[in-house]
Amino acid sequence: MSDPRKPIAGRKPADRRVRVDRPHSPYFRYTGPGQLVAKAAAHEPKSALGRAWARFRKIAIGRPLASEEEIGERLSKKKALAIFSSDAISSSAYATEEILRVLVLAGAGVALSLSLEVAAAISVLLAVVALSYRQVCRAYPSGGGAYSVSRANLGALASLVAAAALLIDYVMTVAVSTASAVAQAYSVVPSLYDARIVIAVVAITLITTANLRGLRESGNIFAIPTYLFIFLALAMVAIGSVNVITGQAVPIEQADAVETGTETLGLFLLLKAFASGSVALTGTEAIANGVPAFQPPESKNAADTLIAMAILLGVLFVGITFVSDGYGIVPTVDGGQTVVALVASTVFGAGSPLFYLFQAATALILFLAANTSFNAFPRLAALLAIDGYMPRQFAFRGDRLAFSYGIVLLAGIAALLLVAFGGDTHALIPLYSVGVFVCFTLSQIGMVKHWSRVRDAGWWWRAALNGFGAVLTAIVLVVVASVKFLDGAYLVVILIPLLVGMMLFIKRQYDASRRELRVKPGLVFKAPQREERAVVPIPGVNRAVIQAVNVARSIAEDVRAVFITEIPEDGAAVRAQWERQVPGVPLVVVESPYRALTGPLQAYLDVLDSNWPKDKPEPITFVVLPEYVARRWWERILYNQSVKRLRSALLGRPHTVVVNVPYRREDPSLSDRTPSAPDEPKPT
Amino acid sequence: MPQEPNQPFKRAVVALSGHPNGQRLVKLVAELAKVHKAELVGVHVVEVDWSMPLDMDVAGRSDEIQQVLDLAEGTAEAAGVTLESVLLQARDVGAALVDEALERDADLLVVGLAYRTKFGGDFAIGRTIPYVLKNAPCAVWVVREPIQEETS
């Protein structure tokens, strides 16, 4: 390397110039006096292991993105319908089956005669919820999730209940949608049934990886499967309905149908069927949450899209139920075809290309529905972290601008649920709806309060509509929670208060630490006038110790070494060597007959404190710990265990600062060639 | 690097004076460099008085001086071009710019010109630009900032 300060000759003798080195340039960029912005190279790891890990991450999730590389794309209504509606519309793939699975307990005939009425009742509920959320789109153009609406109108506790319910809802969306998508796959290839959990976990892993890479939902890749499903499902409903109405539909023979007629029909069974089918409403709130993503006028476009989505969902849900009734389709035993697959194979023809295409589209839209939660959950967790209700890590964005902690947590819990419930959609459903209806209810109550506070033109009928929605969803919430309580809803009923308690606890901890760390604005801080002393606990005399003592000497004038040993003879030997080789630094040998290390050192420090003159301010005690840095990661377990124990023991000690002095084997300053250290022992 | 037909330049040295107009200049050249896949070198010269040694640490420790080059780097990067930044100490800015352009085999030297008038009268061009125009062997572009309307 050439000398950076060596003058370079110009064309004339007087035109010399000096090139000035800019060592910060590869790592930082100045944006103002004393203000730097780190470049990508600044966070590249220095160790071989770190570099290998970074290479792996780059392959797995892509190169790190700078914050300004985030792309914000506004969505047209057509694109937004595809992107925000996959969760809601995809629920039509399993909602009918959930109704039938309950009603068949009272007999196949009863199931077929009443399922349409139950589906119609749920569609009325859907209409009310959609109209209520339409109001949310208009009132909260910045995004009206249940958490935001509750926080703005109902206070912290209600917003936390909404947040807890939403978090559960998002986890359940991933678990249920993935399980249902896999069910569509084994409806076509029955041999996949045994591998359903593995397939589901692999699918979640792939979606997680894609999201950690910073997958955006704005691409056409998301619109195609949604529209394909909508088109094929509408065609299936239309063809099937014509067949049923014209009397061409002949009830199919099912060899693997579930056992029917084990219970008598009563109000409880009807309510349970209603509660099970109400999973069709999950995902209805997604558009209200995402109003800012729409092209202007955002609120109007979002409200229109919401209504279009509700109509599509209603038509598909009622349509699939009507056709399945017409063909006398009842659910199959575990591992058999899903109801929607049976409808498709009956209408399109078993083994026809359209049947396979429909099944593929259904599985894809269900995976997309799972993916929507991978956007929503981490964002909500980040919002909660910013508000102090969740650990701050959830607000950090990873290399690819994704909220990595939230994504990984969501994937982990959803995968665990899938494993725990055997990848069975029907086993998971009872946990699903409770959280959704808690959100609906709180959101609608919040909106009533919003309208009564704002009181703009037509506020009373807007408040009445949201009020009606709130009452209706509250009733459904009670029904869902009570009729499915023993089937698993109790878990959610327990989990919501637990999550709220956890969030309040975290908030209290953060508030307490903030209060403790707060600096009064009026105070001006001057340099401290306190004395300093340094204590160096030593395991013997070696290069790491010498280096630590030298650091201690640069910190304070009062330096002493402490050697704690259980063998008195060792103490004498170390003292002899110490006094010969490290003159000027007193050594205290502490014999420890109970073989303890941290206790005697802490006690010694306490004694030092108590000997300090009472009229002088407490000194700052620097405990300087020599630490040997192993070259390889696997060697590290062999060293510094005592140092770690001492550091942990001293961390909370008042007026004490723990200083780690790492000694690297290749450190030339203390090599054998150094005249001041001719015959030191090898590092321990 | 062979020069393509219609390529206005293949390697340009951009003089960075620290004047606010400099960012506009860098953006302009960077956009052209991107289209024609040309290289950019941003040079900031700190003039050292004859009373001080030339190799004295004048520029290295100044945040403001580093910022001139870093801002240019950032502006070029935003336009999708990498700008190599060079910090020089010299007795004369014009000579250092011409010598650096020569050493780097640049075929274009771009200098910005602030609109100033001498004591409120004649337009002042300073001494660096006439020197560069007279001595640079490559093409020289002088980009003058727009005249600010006086507000009285």
Side-chain angles (χ1 to χ4, degrees):
Chain A
M1 205 177 107
S2 62
D3 179 5
R5 290 276 166 192
K6 191 179 170 191
I8 307 161
R11 286 163 303 126
K12 296 174 194 164
D15 290 345
R16 293 184 310 154
R17 64 194 191 284
V18 166
R19 200 162 286 153
V20 182
D21 205 14
R22 305 180 70 227
H24 77 279
S25 178
Y27 305 105
F28 298 102
R29 181 171 292 154
Y30 275 93
T31 54
Q35 196 170 328
L36 294 162
V37 174
K39 293 184 180 177
H43 77 92
E44 279 171 8
K46 304 286 181 285
S47 69
L49 188 70
R51 282 197 298 273
W53 174 239
R55 270 197 296 275
F56 170 74
R57 284 167 62 90
K58 198 172 172 182
I59 294 165
I61 65 168
R63 71 170 178 88
L65 294 174
S67 300
E68 65 259 28
E69 289 182 78
E70 185 165 41
I71 302 162
E73 189 192 341
R74 292 301 188 102
L75 301 171
S76 65
K77 282 191 274 189
K78 281 180 196 154
K79 234 175 181 179
L81 178 70
I83 288 159
F84 288 118
S85 307
S86 58
D87 183 6
I89 290 176
S90 67
S91 51
S92 64
Y94 50 81
T96 300
E97 179 159 353
E98 293 311 316
I99 296 172
L100 289 171
R101 277 194 182 273
V102 178
L103 289 178
V104 289
L105 297 173
V110 172
L112 297 172
S113 63
L114 285 176
S115 60
L116 191 61
E117 283 79 354
V118 174
I122 292 168
S123 296
V124 172
L125 179 64
L126 169 68
V128 174
V129 169
L131 286 171
S132 301
Y133 267 104
R134 199 181 141 84
Q135 311 264 41
V136 179
C137 293
R138 291 191 181 278
Y140 287 89
S142 58
Y147 175 64
S148 310
V149 175
S150 307
R151 193 178 51 170
N153 300 296
L154 303 174
L157 194 63
S159 70
L160 290 183
V161 172
L166 274 172
L167 291 174
I168 294 168
D169 177 28
Y170 293 140
V171 172
M172 292 313 301
T173 300
V174 175
V176 169
S177 300
T178 309
S180 184
V182 176
Q184 304 310 321
Y186 65 71
S187 289
V188 177
V189 186
S191 58
L192 293 177
Y193 177 73
D194 291 335
R196 66 193 182 284
I197 296 174
V198 176
I199 297 169
V201 172
V202 168
I204 288 180
T205 309
L206 288 174
I207 296 171
T208 306
T209 310
N211 279 280
L212 288 174
R213 288 184 73 97
L215 179 76
R216 294 285 173 270
E217 288 186 325
S218 51
N220 285 328
I221 195 165
F222 287 90
I224 295 164
T226 309
Y227 277 112
L228 185 64
F229 173 81
I230 292 172
F231 173 75
L232 289 171
L234 283 174
M236 180 180 78
V237 167
I239 297 166
S241 300
V242 169
N243 288 347
V244 172
I245 292 163
T246 56
Q248 293 173 48
V250 181
I252 62 165
E253 290 294 323
Q254 281 181 257
D256 55 353
V258 288
E259 197 182 347
T260 60
T262 54
E263 289 182 26
T264 51
L265 180 70
L267 183 63
F268 182 79
L269 207 64
L270 264 178
L271 287 176
K272 200 171 176 183
F274 179 84
S276 295
S278 62
V279 287
L281 271 70
T282 54
T284 314
E285 75 291 350
I287 289 176
N289 292 349
V291 181
F294 281 78
Q295 284 174 353
E298 293 89 347
S299 293
K300 184 185 178 303
N301 286 340
D304 293 349
T305 310
L306 178 64
I307 294 304
M309 181 205 72
I311 292 169
L312 271 172
L313 174 58
V315 168
L316 289 178
F317 175 44
V318 175
I320 290 170
T321 310
F322 176 70
V323 177
S324 68
D325 283 1
Y327 281 99
I329 292 168
V330 289
T332 56
V333 291
D334 286 346
Q337 285 191 313
T338 59
V339 165
V340 77
L342 284 167
V343 172
S345 70
T346 311
V347 172
F348 293 136
S352 68
L354 271 179
F355 167 67
Y356 289 120
L357 191 62
F358 177 76
Q359 284 304 103
T362 310
L364 276 175
I365 196 177
L366 284 161
F367 283 130
L368 288 190
N371 187 66
T372 55
S373 287
F374 276 88
N375 255 292
F377 181 99
R379 279 184 192 284
L380 177 62
L383 207 60
L384 287 164
I386 290 165
D387 290 346
Y389 291 111
M390 279 190 65
R392 287 180 186 138
Q393 294 92 308
F394 286 95
F396 298 158
R397 290 197 292 177
D399 284 350
R400 302 284 296 178
L401 299 172
F403 295 107
S404 314
Y405 281 89
I407 290 171
V408 172
L409 181 72
L410 171 65
I413 301 173
L416 275 176
L417 268 174
L418 275 166
V419 174
F421 284 80
D424 183 359
T425 314
H426 325 303
L428 288 161
I429 291 284
L431 282 76
Y432 199 3
S433 313
V434 177
V436 177
F437 282 99
V438 168
C439 294
F440 286 166
T441 309
L442 283 171
S443 184
Q444 302 314 308
I445 295 171
M447 287 306 295
V448 173
K449 208 162 171 203
H450 169 84
W451 296 124
S452 58
R453 195 180 64 241
V454 175
R455 287 181 182 256
D456 54 4
W459 72 271
W460 60 269
W461 71 261
R462 293 178 199 276
L465 182 59
N466 282 125
F468 180 59
V471 171
L472 206 59
T473 51
I475 292 169
V476 177
L477 171 63
V478 173
V479 169
V480 169
S482 51
V483 299
K484 296 205 292 185
F485 191 79
L486 293 176
D487 296 334
Y490 71 93
L491 281 172
V492 183
V493 174
I494 295 168
L495 210 54
I496 288 177
L498 272 180
L499 280 172
V500 171
M502 185 199 77
M503 288 191 275
L504 286 171
F505 174 77
I506 292 170
K507 173 80 171 165
R508 203 164 51 237
Q509 293 300 314
Y510 279 139
D511 283 349
S513 64
R514 197 177 298 118
R515 271 197 305 277
E516 279 174 28
L517 294 170
R518 197 172 72 93
V519 173
K520 287 182 183 165
L523 288 180
V524 176
F525 296 93
K526 291 177 181 162
Q529 301 293 321
R530 293 163 71 180
E531 290 183 44
E532 290 123 8
R533 66 182 169 208
V535 175
V536 189
I538 62 164
V541 183
N542 60 41
R543 286 181 197 157
V545 165
I546 301 299
Q547 183 172 275
V549 167
N550 286 343
V551 170
R553 279 163 152 170
S554 69
I555 293 172
E557 285 181 12
D558 177 0
V559 179
R560 68 196 72 193
V562 180
F563 178 61
I564 299 169
T565 177
E566 56 190 88
I567 307 163
E569 294 78 20
D570 280 3
V574 169
R575 181 180 294 286
Q577 191 183 357
W578 186 265
E579 285 173 356
R580 181 165 49 86
Q581 292 195 282
V582 197
V585 177
L587 172 73
V588 179
V589 176
V590 178
E591 286 181 24
S592 173
Y594 299 98
R595 299 161 300 283
L597 175 68
T598 52
L601 181 71
Q602 281 177 298
Y604 175 71
L605 294 174
D606 291 343
V607 170
L608 278 184
D609 285 350
S610 56
N611 283 342
W612 191 259
K614 299 282 180 269
D615 55 331
K616 287 167 78 177
E618 289 269 9
I620 299 172
T621 304
F622 289 89
V623 179
V624 182
L625 300 173
E627 190 173 12
Y628 176 66
V629 180
R631 278 186 194 173
R632 295 171 188 88
W633 64 269
W634 49 265
E635 287 181 68
R636 286 178 199 153
I637 199 164
L638 305 174
Y639 303 97
N640 304 318
Q641 301 310 317
S642 304
V643 171
K644 282 177 192 161
R645 270 162 48 215
L646 284 176
R647 193 167 45 212
S648 321
L650 295 171
L651 266 180
R653 200 172 189 281
H655 313 295
T656 306
V657 177
V658 180
V659 180
N660 271 54
V661 181
Y663 173 82
R664 287 170 190 83
R665 199 185 286 182
E666 49 281 300
D667 196 334
S669 64
L670 288 159
S671 70
D672 286 336
R673 289 188 295 278
T674 309
S676 60
D679 56 354
E680 289 155 340
K682 286 182 180 174
T684 54
Chain B
M1 193 163 66
Q3 191 154 4
E4 292 170 17
N6 304 323
Q7 189 181 20
F9 60 95
K10 61 185 170 73
R11 184 176 295 123
V13 165
V14 185
L16 303 165
S17 65
H19 187 270
N21 191 34
Q23 299 317 308
R24 193 202 313 250
L25 178 76
V26 172
K27 192 166 178 255
L28 171 80
V29 183
E31 279 166 2
L32 280 168
K34 190 184 180 189
V35 173
H36 298 289
K37 296 186 174 63
E39 290 174 19
L40 283 189
V41 181
V43 179
H44 180 64
V45 184
V46 177
E47 219 165 47
V48 179
D49 192 70
W50 283 99
S51 62
M52 291 188 284
L54 184 62
D55 59 355
M56 193 177 165
D57 191 3
V58 177
R61 288 170 188 269
S62 163
D63 289 6
E64 285 85 357
I65 289 170
Q66 301 289 358
Q67 195 187 335
V68 172
L69 287 160
D70 287 347
L71 277 175
E73 262 184 28
T75 307
E77 205 171 274
V81 179
T82 304
L83 177 136
E84 183 191 344
S85 55
V86 176
L87 178 56
L88 298 175
Q89 286 182 187
R91 301 296 185 197
D92 183 84
V93 175
L97 286 172
V98 171
D99 288 340
E100 192 68 22
L102 261 173
E103 189 186 309
R104 290 177 179 273
D105 195 22
D107 52 1
L108 176 66
L109 181 53
V110 187
V111 280
L113 173 59
Y115 183 80
R116 288 199 202 99
T117 50
K118 200 183 286 178
F119 307 115
D122 287 346
F123 170 60
I125 197 166
R127 63 187 170 87
T128 301
I129 288 173
Y131 180 93
V132 169
L133 288 169
K134 191 176 170 188
N135 292 286
C138 58
V140 178
W141 290 358
V142 180
V143 182
R144 201 213 64 197
E145 69 168 334
I147 299 173
Q148 304 292 322
E149 284 202 22
E150 282 184 30
T151 52
S152 56

